[in-house]
Amino acid sequence: SVVRQFEAAFATFLYKNPAFTSMSHTTLQKIRAKLLKESAKNIRLEGELRNQLAHLRESKRNRELELQQELLVVTRAKASREAELIIQIQKTRRSSMMLDQQMKNKGSSP
């Protein structure tokens, strides 16, 4: 548990910093209680931040998927419009060629 981990870390800290062991038991207990309270608060805040981060990542992923869908729709529409324009160009060229041919034929006949 979190408390057990904190107690082990606090004991290790006291062992490595013997100057603190000269403090009164009451003072050490007050320090321990404050640190434990702050550690619990930090753990709670860290959990909240992790949840926010997970939510942001999920939102980002969803937005990327939406944009990919929009891009696909636009790309398909562009391809369709391009095909329509190519057909119009081909029809216009054929019409122009027919008109040119008719003009040549009229010009060569008396």
Side-chain angles (χ1 to χ4, degrees):
S1 79
V2 174
V3 175
R4 201 173 329 128
Q5 288 177 339
F6 173 81
E7 293 294 347
F10 191 71
T12 302
F13 171 79
L14 290 177
Y15 177 76
K16 290 183 177 181
N17 298 280
F20 284 93
T21 56
S22 64
M23 295 177 148
S24 73
H25 178 73
T26 305
T27 303
L28 278 176
Q29 289 305 312
K30 285 180 182 178
I31 291 172
R32 183 191 141 291
K34 284 181 183 180
L35 287 173
L36 180 57
K37 182 179 176 182
E38 285 300 312
S39 294
K41 179 181 167 186
N42 287 342
I43 289 169
R44 182 181 51 79
L45 289 174
E46 185 178 331
E48 290 173 8
L49 290 173
R50 281 191 180 154
N51 287 338
Q52 288 177 10
L53 180 60
H55 179 72
L56 285 173
R57 284 180 175 155
E58 182 68 19
S59 295
K60 177 185 166 228
R61 192 171 66 83
N62 289 338
R63 184 62 183 140
E64 285 173 353
L65 290 174
E66 288 173 9
L67 290 173
Q68 286 175 356
Q69 287 294 100
E70 287 179 29
L71 181 60
L72 184 61
V73 167
V74 168
T75 301
R76 284 181 181 163
K78 177 186 173 243
S80 176
R81 180 68 178 143
E82 188 175 2
E84 289 174 15
L85 291 173
I86 288 171
I87 290 169
Q88 285 181 355
I89 289 168
Q90 290 171 345
K91 286 180 181 178
T92 304
R93 282 183 184 158
R94 280 196 297 270
S95 295
S96 291
M97 288 170 56
M98 287 173 56
L99 284 174
D100 286 348
Q101 192 63 37
Q102 287 176 358
M103 295 294 280
K104 284 181 186 178
N105 289 341
K106 284 186 179 185
S108 61
S109 60

